[in-house]
């Protein structure tokens, strides 16, 4: 094997792992389930949705600023420094007293720092790899696979624990983050600086505005719905607002680059309602394989209308499982596989020309949607809670499924309209 081939393979693995680490850092809260400082834990779980939203904003802002700079080397170094910051932040997790308590550190603050730095990694790496087909595909899989895996692994460490303490999952291993930092540092130091990719120095504001519209509306709507899940008027208004925000954000972006925003906005609602527990351990790997297959098929044969229809089918599946309550294990297994395949195809079929627009579409998955708010009718808050695990034991009724179908249908119509109104962009080269 030639040295250049070995280097290419090593760089590909490094990009995948670094992106996955960043996505997992956003999706998984900092875990201190064993600590006795319950106030810290309660504050942490209530602030996780805000931290995830902050990470989404940081990803888009970082991508926009780095695109304006126009330097791939700057993008790589930005990602490296942010990943190093995550490592330092995780080192601060070590309790500073012998009894296991954190005496001087705030868990919510540490979690916010972790999420914001991870958002920087996501945004910077997008710019660093977007013009290289293979690395771009690996980056997309790492970001989406890490997001889905983080969502699936959000299960209680102790099912019998009381309150929020049992809802906190584990943090990423320090050795894993450290190894990723070293690998990314090697390529940042040894990669030759290419020519500037653009002569423009202005920050692209359209993706930033689109992110403000989409992310802010999503989190505000989810918070409102979480406070009153039984009100029919709330659900109707929330569905209309979710569709309107997705359409507005898609129209702000140039050309057809908003299609990814529409698809991911509808998927975030339906996907957040898919039953994922109980399931066997092999389902997680199978879901990642389904994600990869969906992504590659979408890149090879892009059909945005088919992708929109698949999200609508996923929403119908959610409603059917809520109404008919089939076998829980089979429902969770099929639901997880469908989750990966649909998400992968939606992403692959609508990869934008601009890395900033792509980051907007990807980062929508980090922001808790109204689907998260509707996951458990008995939980009156939008927080990292047992409602995020989506077990078959919760009787949600027909409301969540109907909302998911309404949003998916509205976004599907918007995809059709956008494709009719705006010309197709030049085809992105596949790996």
């Amino acid at each position: 094997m030639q040295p250049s081939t070995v280097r290419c393979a090593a760089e590909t693995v490094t990009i995948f792992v670094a992106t996955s680490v960043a996505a997992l850092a956003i999706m998984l809260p900092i875990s201190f389930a064993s600590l006795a400082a319950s106030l810290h834990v309660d504050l942490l779980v209530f602030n996780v949705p805000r931290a995830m939203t902050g990470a989404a904003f940081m990803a888009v802002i970082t991508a926009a600023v780095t695109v304006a700079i126009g330097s791939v080397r700057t993008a790589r170094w930005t990602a490296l420094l942010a990943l190093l910051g995550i490592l330092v932040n995780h080192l601060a997790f070590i309790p500073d007293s012998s009894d296991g308590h954190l005496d001087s550190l705030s868990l919510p603050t540490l979690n916010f720092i972790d999420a914001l730095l991870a958002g920087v990694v996501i945004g910077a790496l997008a710019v660093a790899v977007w013009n290289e087909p293979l690395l771009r595909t690996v980056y997309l899989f790492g970001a989406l696979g890490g997001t889905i895996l983080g969502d699936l692994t959000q299960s209680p460490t102790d099912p019998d624990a009381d309150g929020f303490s049992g809802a906190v999952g584990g943090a990423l291993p320090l050795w894993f983050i450290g190894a990723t930092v070293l690998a990314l540092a090697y390529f940042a130091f040894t990669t030759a600086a290419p020519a500037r990719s653009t002569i423009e120095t202005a920050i692209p504001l359209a993706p930033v505005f689109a992110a403000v519209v989409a992310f802010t509306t999503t989190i505000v709507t989810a918070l409102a719905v979480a406070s009153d899940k039984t009100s029919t008027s709330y659900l109707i208004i929330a569905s209309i607002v979710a569709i309107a925000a997705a359409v507005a954000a898609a129209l702000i972006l140039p050309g057809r680059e908003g299609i990814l925003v529409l698809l991911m906005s509808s998927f975030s609602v339906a996907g957040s309602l898919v039953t994922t527990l109980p399931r066997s351990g092999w389902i997680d790997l199978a879901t990642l394989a389904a994600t990869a297959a969906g992504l590659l098929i979408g890149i090879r044969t892009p059909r945005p209308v088919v992708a929109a229809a698949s999200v609508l089918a996923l929403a119908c599946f959610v409603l059917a499982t809520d109404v008919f309550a089939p076998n829980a294990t089979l429902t969770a297994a099929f639901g997880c596989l469908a989750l990966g395949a649909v998400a992968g195809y939606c992403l692959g079929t609508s990869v934008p020309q601009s890395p900033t627009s792509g980051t907007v579409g990807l980062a929508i998955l980090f922001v808790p949607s109204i689907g998260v708010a509707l996951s458990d009718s008995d939980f009156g808050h939008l927080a990292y809670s047992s409602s995020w695990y989506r077990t078959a034991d919760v009787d949600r009724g027909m409301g969540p499924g109907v909302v998911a179908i309404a949003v998916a249908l509205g976004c599907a119509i918007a995809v059709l309209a956008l494709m009719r109104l705006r010309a197709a962009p030049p085809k992105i080269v596949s790996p």
Side-chain angles (χ1 to χ4, degrees):
M1 185 179 292
Q2 297 296 323
S4 59
T5 304
V6 175
R7 177 184 171 85
C8 180
E11 185 175 20
T12 300
V13 172
T14 299
I15 293 298
F16 170 74
V17 174
T19 309
S20 302
V21 166
L24 288 170
I26 295 172
M27 296 300 296
L28 294 175
I30 296 175
S31 174
F32 286 94
S34 61
L35 295 179
S38 59
L39 177 60
H40 283 273
V41 177
D42 289 350
L43 289 174
L44 170 65
V45 296
F46 273 104
N47 279 281
V48 165
R50 287 80 172 172
M52 295 172 72
T53 305
F57 275 113
M58 284 301 299
V60 175
I61 293 172
T62 301
V65 172
T66 312
V67 162
I69 295 173
S71 170
V72 172
R73 169 164 284 189
T74 299
R76 286 177 178 269
W77 275 96
T78 301
L80 171 61
L81 292 176
L83 198 61
L84 181 61
I86 292 176
L87 177 61
V88 172
N89 195 48
H90 277 247
L91 288 173
F93 298 172
I94 301 174
D96 52 4
S97 65
S98 58
D99 59 0
H101 289 69
L102 279 176
D103 296 330
S104 59
L105 299 175
S106 167
L107 295 183
T109 300
L110 290 174
N111 191 72
F112 259 106
I113 294 173
D114 211 40
L116 295 181
L117 289 173
V120 172
V121 175
I122 294 291
L125 283 182
V127 180
V129 305
W130 209 258
N131 291 328
E132 301 183 44
L134 176 60
L135 292 182
R136 181 183 62 237
T137 301
V138 169
Y139 164 83
L140 293 174
F141 176 56
L144 186 59
T147 301
I148 292 178
L149 185 62
D151 185 47
L152 294 182
T153 53
Q154 289 176 357
S155 57
T157 55
D158 180 5
D160 299 323
D162 295 327
F164 293 117
S165 297
V168 182
L172 291 170
L174 284 174
W175 66 266
F176 188 64
I177 303 175
T180 307
V181 170
L182 291 176
L184 195 59
Y186 171 77
F187 290 107
F189 276 108
T190 61
T191 302
R196 283 178 59 89
S197 59
T198 178
I199 60 174
E200 298 290 336
T201 58
I203 297 176
L205 294 180
V208 177
F209 288 150
V212 170
V213 171
F215 301 166
T216 303
T217 305
T218 299
I219 188 66
V220 170
T221 305
L223 288 169
V225 170
S227 65
D228 191 352
K229 301 178 176 67
T230 60
S231 173
T232 303
S233 60
Y234 263 50
L235 298 184
I236 294 175
I237 294 174
S239 301
I240 295 173
V241 170
I243 297 170
V247 171
L251 292 176
I252 291 173
L253 296 174
R256 294 184 177 182
E257 298 201 340
I259 290 178
L260 180 60
V261 173
L262 290 169
L263 292 176
M264 289 306 183
S265 294
S266 59
F267 172 79
S268 66
V269 177
S272 298
L273 293 167
V274 173
T275 299
T276 58
L277 290 175
R279 67 178 186 275
S280 303
W282 64 269
I283 293 295
D284 290 4
L285 290 177
T287 302
L288 290 180
T291 303
L295 178 64
L296 292 177
I297 293 173
I299 291 175
R300 298 290 185 180
T301 56
R303 299 288 187 274
V305 176
V306 175
S310 68
V311 178
L312 182 58
L314 186 66
C316 292
F317 170 75
V318 168
L319 180 60
T321 55
D322 286 342
V323 172
F324 298 107
N327 180 271
T329 302
L330 291 178
T331 298
F334 183 81
C336 289
L337 295 176
L339 202 66
V342 171
Y345 188 75
C346 286
L347 178 57
T349 199
S350 55
V351 179
Q353 293 288 315
S354 165
T356 316
S357 297
T359 306
V360 176
L362 275 173
I364 285 179
L365 297 180
F366 299 140
V367 185
S369 67
I370 56 176
V372 175
L374 292 171
S375 294
D376 188 347
S377 59
D378 296 328
F379 193 73
H381 306 280
L382 185 68
Y384 188 87
S385 70
S386 57
S387 65
W388 284 33
Y389 310 139
R390 307 195 296 278
T391 68
D393 299 331
V394 179
D395 183 11
R396 301 181 301 205
M398 296 178 59
V402 171
V403 169
I405 291 175
V407 174
L409 184 59
C411 289
I413 294 172
V415 168
L416 283 170
L418 191 63
M419 294 182 64
R420 181 178 294 272
L421 292 174
R422 295 182 173 178
K427 182 177 177 58
I428 293 183
V429 179
S430 301

